[in-house]
Amino acid sequence: MDPDEALARMLQEEELRTVQAMQAQMRLQQQQQGGGGRGGGGGGGDTAGFRSRLEAMLDTALRCEDPGLQEQARAVMPLTRLRAAAEEAAGLAARLGPDVEAPSVEDLLARGLLHWFKTGFFTWVDTLPCSRCGSRATGHGGSAAPLPEDLAAGAHRVELHACRACGALSRFPRYNDPGKLLQPGCRRGRCGEWANAFLLCCRAAGLTARYVSDWADHVWTEYYSHSMRRWVHLDSCEASYDQPLLYEAGWGKQVSYVVAAGVAGVVDVTSRYTARPWRREVLPRRTLVSERWLGRQLDDMTSKLRAGPGWSAPRQLLWLGRDAAERMELLRQRLGVRPAGRSVAAQQPLPGRQTGSLEWRQQRGETGASGSSSVAPEAAAAPAAARAPTSYRPAPDEPELLPPVFSAAGRLSGGACRAAGHNETVEVVERLFDGRVDTKWLDFGGAGPSGSSWVEYRMPTDRQAVVLYGYELVSANDSPERDPADWLLEGVTEQDFTEGRRDAWTPLDRRSGVVFSDRHAPLAFQLPKPSPPCRRLRLSISRTADPRVANSVQLACWNLYGTPEKGPDGGGDERLLLRDLRDAVAAAALAPAALSLLGRLLENIRREPKELRFRKVPYW
């Protein structure tokens, strides 16, 4: 039978099963409303233990529906700021040109929540600092019986962390109650605490979100994107957005059962989180209960939820439509057919686990799967060019955000940026333009001998096109093997852009074999001649310093320069720049590394005051 015909037949059969499941749900709801109902079916394996785990995760999800808890969450969340930032980013697309599709405010808000929660609200705990002397030299010292107040907040397990300096023991109750986890002093933990608290924040922000549990010991969140009409993966611990293959292809986990639970039901979503052949590899791992029992159990739990108050006929129909779409999506993924724009290639390469101590991650076998047998062969071979790029984001480069020295040197500002990929949510593309060397952009797509990446800077149509004279790259904080070594700088001219040739890239500068002398080292490059007025600029990186070792490509800064401002005497900006640098040293308490870098830059400027590259100074 032709493969396409076989796929079409399987999809038709699944559609029929979906309709039958919907009808069964409606019949069950009618029976329950009339006093009927039926118990869960039997199955092989430990059905009681499996059912207990399903009920526990559903209970966690339903606690986040409490209006009082959601109000408490909104009181500690910067929702006004996050929504304003999402609306600004959504409005940016309209300013960039008709070829740019505007992302939805809801999706941008989800990303913003992820970044805020990871970087500004919750804290990961390996071991607690000593409660007596404050030392961080602590280790696990066993467990303690939970106190009544611990149990009231869902902490049935209490860890003891022993101080190696003074011997004191610090208690670490593992709270499950999401409201407790919002309180000062409790905003910490490991993946369980993170997922519980983050789900509550998502619901408080108005996202349709649910709790997701991997039976191999990890939990995270999904939210329903109304613009994309699908469920989207969110991992607050890893700050990972829409990377469902992270655990298998990045961490090296073998997925067996992944279940999502929320106010609208309980769903087996395992096939969303694996690219391995379902029948040959995944199904043989699923031995805890029978597939038939699991399907019936999840349908029963979903039907009981939807038989409750608040489930009007229109709401029932809405969710039945979403159910049908998700069933088809999950079936296609079981068959190895990834949705458009979300192919296996689009998800690769992915990092190992980032949170937790290295020793802990190594013990769990989650430090990375590159080249291991747990990576799907089709994923390992996927070219980086097939990846979906990031959306455009405002570059944090407006003059008022940066020291005057940048404007004096002619640094461009006011643009938008995107990249072939980045490491959400800290090592993102915006970090290239914030003028700081203590932040960086990192893209795992630039890894390996065949890896490549790119970064784009684009001027909105309500701003003038820019003429580029030179640019500067600053190496990142670690791993010299990740430094760019070969690249091409290209531009789309204003003329081409205006005449509809918005992807007509013109080469402006090419470099190969470039070596950065140190970490946080700036290298400046002057174009052979000034560029024509450009609307878009792109740095395409084709090789890192050591492709055999590098697992990514990274940079601290990409500074773009037009015409420098004239100094007070009209003869150039050397005197103005030196004055500002001296003022910066006098006024700021800089880190030793920054002072060392500043000293080298000042020496270069004094030695060669006319050299352009020494007058373009990154800010730390």
Side-chain angles (χ1 to χ4, degrees):
M1 182 182 295
D2 180 82
D4 292 338
E5 182 181 349
L7 175 60
R9 179 171 298 181
M10 294 182 71
L11 293 176
Q12 289 171 356
E13 292 172 354
E14 179 62 20
E15 288 174 355
L16 177 60
R17 287 193 292 270
T18 299
V19 172
Q20 292 171 341
M22 292 177 186
Q23 293 171 343
Q25 283 185 19
M26 297 297 287
R27 285 195 300 270
L28 180 60
Q29 290 161 7
Q30 291 169 358
Q31 292 171 3
Q32 291 169 338
Q33 289 166 356
R38 62 182 173 88
D46 180 17
T47 57
F50 206 103
R51 183 187 295 110
S52 176
R53 182 163 181 176
L54 290 172
E55 291 171 347
M57 63 179 294
L58 178 58
D59 178 67
T60 298
L62 294 181
R63 273 183 287 171
C64 295
E65 299 301 313
D66 184 326
L69 284 183
Q70 291 183 13
E71 189 59 39
Q72 291 178 31
R74 285 188 285 271
V76 298
M77 296 168 63
L79 266 181
T80 301
R81 175 174 61 82
L82 292 174
R83 286 198 178 106
E87 290 168 359
E88 178 188 3
L92 175 65
R95 301 172 52 222
L96 293 178
D99 58 317
V100 179
E101 182 179 353
S104 79
V105 173
E106 177 188 51
D107 296 333
L108 291 167
L109 177 60
R111 289 180 180 272
L113 278 171
L114 200 63
H115 181 267
W116 160 77
F117 194 88
K118 170 75 174 180
T119 62
F121 188 69
F122 226 70
T123 302
W124 181 268
V125 172
D126 287 314
T127 59
L128 294 177
C130 179
S131 56
R132 178 190 294 171
C133 69
S135 171
R136 293 191 173 274
T138 58
H140 291 286
S143 59
L147 301 174
E149 55 266 33
D150 299 328
L151 294 172
H156 297 276
R157 182 160 54 101
V158 177
E159 297 177 0
L160 294 177
H161 295 176
C163 178
R164 298 188 181 98
C166 71
L169 293 174
S170 300
R171 298 177 80 257
F172 179 31
R174 303 298 305 278
Y175 297 122
N176 283 315
D177 180 60
K180 179 70 172 180
L181 292 168
L182 296 180
Q183 297 177 10
C186 300
R187 301 167 186 171
R188 62 191 184 186
R190 302 192 196 108
C191 60
E193 290 92 344
W194 281 67
N196 290 7
F198 185 65
L199 177 61
L200 176 57
C201 290
C202 287
R203 294 296 296 122
L207 297 181
T208 302
R210 63 190 185 185
Y211 187 85
V212 184
S213 178
D214 174 10
W215 258 236
D217 192 24
H218 190 51
V219 286
W220 59 90
T221 310
E222 288 181 343
Y223 83 99
Y224 186 79
S225 167
H226 292 83
S227 64
M228 293 185 272
R229 297 184 180 180
R230 63 177 175 87
W231 291 94
V232 178
H233 157 256
L234 291 173
D235 189 324
S236 57
C237 300
E238 301 294 292
S240 177
Y241 180 91
D242 200 15
Q243 291 183 320
L245 298 183
L246 174 68
Y247 314 109
E248 179 179 82
W251 296 15
K253 297 175 77 70
Q254 292 189 338
V255 176
S256 58
Y257 295 98
V258 181
V259 179
V263 69
V266 189
V267 184
D268 179 1
V269 295
T270 307
S271 60
R272 180 173 295 136
Y273 293 91
T274 177
R276 306 298 293 181
W278 182 264
R279 290 188 178 277
R280 190 173 73 241
E281 296 190 32
V282 181
L283 199 56
R285 301 180 197 141
R286 293 163 61 95
T287 59
L288 298 180
V289 294
S290 75
E291 296 297 305
R292 185 180 181 86
W293 178 89
L294 179 58
R296 286 181 174 177
Q297 181 67 30
L298 299 184
D299 284 345
D300 284 356
M301 295 176 75
T302 298
S303 297
K304 290 173 182 176
L305 282 169
R306 297 184 186 181
W311 280 92
S312 63
R315 189 183 183 196
Q316 293 272 5
L317 288 174
L318 172 67
W319 277 96
L320 287 174
R322 289 177 182 173
D323 292 346
E326 185 173 29
R327 283 175 182 264
M328 300 308 299
E329 176 194 1
L330 295 171
L331 172 64
R332 288 186 173 94
Q333 289 163 345
R334 285 191 183 193
L335 297 172
V337 182
R338 312 301 291 190
R342 297 171 61 223
S343 63
V344 172
Q347 297 286 339
Q348 297 299 320
L350 294 167
R353 188 168 193 154
Q354 306 294 300
T355 46
S357 68
L358 178 60
E359 180 184 7
W360 182 75
R361 286 180 282 140
Q362 287 174 336
Q363 289 174 351
R364 295 169 61 93
E366 296 172 349
T367 53
S370 299
S372 77
S373 60
S374 63
V375 181
E378 62 271 28
R387 295 179 297 146
T390 72
S391 60
Y392 284 103
R393 305 173 177 212
D397 62 357
E398 292 290 356
E400 60 269 20
L401 300 176
L402 302 173
V405 63
F406 278 118
S407 295
R411 191 180 193 270
L412 304 182
S413 63
C417 58
R418 68 169 180 167
H422 59 195
N423 188 26
E424 293 272 11
T425 64
V426 179
E427 296 164 340
V428 292
V429 61
E430 300 99 299
R431 302 284 74 83
L432 280 173
F433 304 94
D434 63 6
R436 304 182 64 89
V437 301
D438 59 355
T439 63
K440 69 181 179 184
W441 160 74
L442 183 146
D443 179 19
F444 288 98
S450 61
S452 64
S453 189
W454 52 263
V455 182
E456 181 189 346
Y457 186 80
R458 179 166 178 158
M459 295 305 297
T461 54
D462 55 2
R463 299 254 186 161
Q464 289 187 345
V466 295
V467 175
L468 188 68
Y469 283 75
Y471 62 100
E472 192 172 61
L473 302 180
V474 181
S475 60
N477 61 318
D478 61 4
S479 304
E481 69 274 7
R482 301 173 182 171
D483 292 342
D486 299 353
W487 64 80
L488 171 66
L489 178 65
E490 307 167 279
V492 174
T493 67
E494 174 74 342
Q495 181 177 349
D496 282 337
F497 188 90
T498 303
E499 294 176 358
R501 299 183 294 275
R502 299 185 181 91
D503 294 313
W505 293 99
T506 299
L508 301 176
D509 190 47
R510 187 185 298 272
R511 305 284 170 164
S512 61
V514 177
V515 177
F516 289 83
S517 61
D518 202 353
R519 302 302 82 210
H520 297 159
L523 290 179
F525 305 91
Q526 189 167 4
L527 300 189
K529 60 179 181 180
S531 75
C534 288
R535 183 62 58 185
R536 303 174 69 185
L537 297 166
R538 183 171 70 184
L539 186 73
S540 298
I541 301 168
S542 55
R543 190 175 70 86
T544 58
D546 191 347
R548 299 168 301 171
V549 179
N551 68 349
S552 57
V553 62
Q554 64 181 25
L555 274 172
C557 297
W558 181 30
N559 300 324
L560 298 160
Y561 294 99
T563 307
E565 292 180 5
K566 297 298 182 182
D569 58 359
D573 63 350
E574 293 87 358
R575 224 179 295 172
L576 175 63
L577 184 59
L578 283 170
R579 185 197 67 203
D580 285 349
L581 286 172
R582 293 191 185 101
D583 290 346
V585 172
L590 299 180
L595 285 171
S596 175
L597 172 61
L598 180 60
R600 294 198 301 273
L601 290 169
L602 284 169
E603 285 182 10
N604 291 335
I605 293 170
R606 292 190 184 98
R607 186 178 67 252
E608 300 181 60
K610 298 293 184 182
E611 179 58 53
L612 178 67
R613 64 194 177 106
F614 295 139
R615 300 185 305 179
K616 311 289 176 60
V617 182
Y619 178 62
W620 37 85

